Amino acid sequence: MAKSKLITIWTVWLIAFPTITIYSYIEFKPVINGNWFDLLAFAIVVSAVAIFPIRVGKITVFFVNGISLAAFLYYGLFVELMLTQISLLALFVKIKLKKDEAHRIPTNSTNLLLTSISAAGVYYLLGGTTGILTFDTVEQVIPVIGYILTSILVNQFGLTIIQSYVNREKFSIFPKSLLIDSGTTLLGFPLGLLLYLMYVEIEAIAVFFVGIPFVLISLVFSYYHNSQRVNKYLHLTSQVGHELSKSLNVKGVLDTFINEVKHLIPATNIYVFDITSDTESMNLIRYMDENGYNLKKDYKMYKGEGFAGKVYEDNRSIMITRKKDLFNLNHNELPAHINSALGVPILRNNKIVGVLTVASDEINAYEKYHLMLLEILANFLSVAIENARHYESAKTKSQRDQLTSLYNYRYFIEYLDSYVNDLTAKGLDETISVIILDLDSFKAINDKYGHESGNEVLAELAKRLVDMFGHYGVIARYGGEEFTILVKNIPHHEVVQLAEDIRHAIASKPFVLYKPINGNYEVQEIHVTASFGVATYPDQCETPQELIRNADRSMYVGAKRDGKNKVASLSV
């Protein structure tokens, strides 16, 4: 919140609170008659009721209005005003008001002050009096009705103004909290009238007799509302599981997960660690700070180090709501401004495989249900990552050649078609080339050295192609001892030179074979050559689909038949 707003809010309160308090005491000085124990009883009951609030959005509703009405009818405005302020203090103690929410003290206090004096003003204007009343005439009932309606309307109007001014929310004549606040008020005021009538007869004991139902009602409504809130979050959590299941790769799963978690659980920092059980180390694979995504590469911690390491070591969920509990952690990874943190183990087959941590710079930012939600989310993440890895593995097997780890023929053809279709759809003209190479006399290598040695040559050739020329385009094992390279947006003569460089790199450096003999390895070097064919669209063919056929034809006609170990292309 802007500093100017804070100054305005506190200034208004510092003027309004003493002014209204002193005015109400002077103008409506209560007649206590030694009933200090009775007032203490009222204060105890309103405090007890206030510690079971209902949270509606950013507004807190509680059932003190009935008790304050009884106090007002007997003792007048000043006592009622003091009781509502005491209840507000009890509420703030219960919810452990955070530093960044300190503005709620002057805003809520001022709103209650204005509500009290407005409702009392209407009550007195309608001819109402305080003290011992019987409510056996219309003249005594009408002021009470005016008091109740004014209390509801002024309170809601004040809350709406606060939300509009403090949180910049759109001003609403009928806010979301109006129905709930009206319901609790209409439920509380009859009990308040009952409390007043009993108090007139039996004094202080009536406060506790009727006060206990107030507390029980507050307790029931508070727990019901909390259970509804938890159910809502559980529903949202299940939706996160559905979203994660849509991601078919680990990166997509992690990105989706981080994005969903930050909307479900208040957090300024989120960490996802992957555990390497052999070394008991944790690698940070995802991290989000208050500014958004920020992946810390090569960030490693070990079992027992920091907050996440403590979760790993204990293999249990941990919730910390106070900064001092973070001081004793060894090599704490959490920033200095963090005051609350949740950490849960990520389990797979009852084995810890990772740690999920969320942290907030707010004190007491988390409740037990947050920890429960995070544990559920961690289970979703574990399953989603495992499914994504299975999918990626299956996809890799369908796209990759098992021996060389290069793309296979099927993938190469599909990629070429997809790339060409994409260019056509975008209306782009781009030069596309295909290089095909075939090892010369490869059958002789297999016959002389064995198929295992032949496989070593193929694997080594694939590695050379990727290391030296992989950045030019897609490399694939086309079949047997044939390999293909897709080169994009390079002139034909440069592609021919590239093929020549590859041919020279193969022919100039021997391939090393390791043959096991009696537990030792016999090292043998052999020289291998390859024949190349190059085709470029639109230079050598009318359509991109003709590239492979023309490159293959160039290789056999222009290179294989012309002595091998050559590069050839069709003449333009």
Side-chain angles (χ1 to χ4, degrees), residues 205-223:
I205 195 66
V207 178
F208 294 105
F209 278 156
V210 182
I212 291 175
F214 267 107
V215 175
L216 292 177
I217 291 173
S218 299
L219 179 64
V220 170
F221 270 84
S222 178
Y223 276 103

Side-chain angles (χ1 to χ4, degrees), residues 18-146:
T19 302
I20 294 176
T21 302
I22 293 171
Y23 168 78
S24 64
Y25 181 80
I26 294 174
E27 189 69 23
F28 307 98
K29 187 174 182 179
V31 179
I32 305 300
N33 292 329
N35 296 333
W36 293 106
F37 178 77
D38 296 12
L39 295 179
L40 177 62
F42 274 107
I44 292 173
V45 173
V46 294
S47 298
V49 171
I51 64 175
F52 297 109
I54 298 175
R55 186 89 173 199
V56 183
K58 297 180 180 179
I59 297 175
T60 302
V61 178
F62 50 107
F63 290 85
V64 299
N65 40 38
I67 303 170
S68 64
L69 172 63
F72 169 77
L73 292 174
Y74 195 89
Y75 290 103
L77 174 61
F78 179 77
V79 170
E80 187 271 344
L81 191 150
M82 291 296 102
L83 287 176
T84 55
Q85 296 297 313
I86 290 172
S87 69
L88 188 63
L89 178 61
L91 171 67
F92 288 151
V93 172
K94 167 61 170 57
I95 65 176
K96 299 175 182 177
L97 193 67
K98 304 174 183 64
K99 184 178 179 181
D100 62 347
E101 292 183 318
H103 63 272
R104 292 179 62 186
I105 296 174
T107 54
N108 285 273
S109 176
T110 303
N111 187 50
L112 286 179
L113 285 171
L114 295 176
T115 300
S116 295
I117 198 167
S118 299
V122 171
Y123 179 83
Y124 291 130
L125 284 174
L126 292 175
T129 59
T130 57
I132 299 177
L133 306 172
T134 58
F135 298 112
D136 54 0
T137 64
V138 175
E139 288 76 11
Q140 288 186 342
V141 173
I142 289 178
V144 175
I145 296 175

Side-chain angles (χ1 to χ4, degrees), residues 332-367:
N332 182 21
E333 76 278 14
L334 302 176
H337 60 80
I338 293 299
N339 288 293
S340 304
L342 298 177
V344 300
I346 302 173
L347 303 175
R348 189 176 301 127
N349 298 324
N350 294 321
K351 180 181 178 182
I352 184 169
V353 295
V355 174
L356 170 62
T357 300
V358 299
S360 173
D361 53 10
E362 296 183 2
I363 300 172
N364 300 309
Y366 302 118
E367 299 178 36

Side-chain angles (χ1 to χ4, degrees), residues 165-339:
Y165 181 74
V166 174
N167 301 317
R168 295 183 178 180
E169 294 184 2
K170 184 178 179 181
F171 183 85
S172 175
I173 299 177
F174 300 103
K176 180 181 178 181
S177 59
L178 177 59
L179 181 61
I180 294 179
D181 192 32
S182 300
T184 57
T185 300
L186 294 176
L187 179 64
F189 278 136
L191 288 175
L193 289 174
L194 176 63
L195 171 59
Y196 169 78
L197 293 173
M198 290 187 65
Y199 179 72
V200 170
E201 296 296 327
I202 58 176
E203 298 182 342
I205 195 66
V207 178
F208 294 105
F209 278 156
V210 182
I212 291 175
F214 267 107
V215 175
L216 292 177
I217 291 173
S218 299
L219 179 64
V220 170
F221 270 84
S222 178
Y223 276 103
Y224 173 76
H225 181 73
N226 288 338
S227 66
Q228 291 295 101
R229 181 174 57 172
V230 171
N231 288 337
K232 173 187 173 183
Y233 279 114
L234 287 174
H235 177 68
L236 294 174
T237 302
S238 68
Q239 292 180 343
V240 174
H242 290 303
E243 289 299 317
L244 291 177
S245 66
K246 296 177 183 178
S247 299
L248 298 178
N249 60 79
V250 175
K251 179 182 181 302
V253 167
L254 290 169
D255 289 343
T256 300
F257 181 78
I258 293 291
N259 187 58
E260 295 293 339
V261 167
K262 70 180 182 181
H263 291 112
L264 268 178
I265 299 177
T268 51
N269 299 75
I270 303 175
Y271 304 77
V272 181
F273 288 93
D274 184 62
I275 289 177
T276 304
S277 56
D278 293 342
T279 59
E280 294 189 334
S281 62
M282 302 182 300
N283 295 296
L284 186 62
I285 58 176
R286 273 298 181 279
Y287 169 72
M288 188 205 79
D289 58 15
E290 60 271 18
N291 298 318
Y293 293 102
N294 181 13
L295 178 60
K296 292 183 177 180
K297 295 182 179 179
D298 303 324
Y299 186 84
K300 180 180 289 188
M301 296 172 60
Y302 291 89
K303 189 174 185 178
E305 286 186 351
F307 182 64
K310 179 67 173 174
V311 175
Y312 179 19
E313 184 176 54
D314 295 353
N315 194 15
R316 66 180 179 87
S317 300
I318 298 176
M319 179 169 69
I320 289 179
T321 56
R322 295 179 299 177
K323 192 180 188 71
K324 69 177 185 178
D325 295 329
L326 297 170
F327 287 158
N328 296 327
L329 296 176
N330 180 29
H331 296 97
N332 182 21
E333 76 278 14
L334 302 176
H337 60 80
I338 293 299
N339 288 293

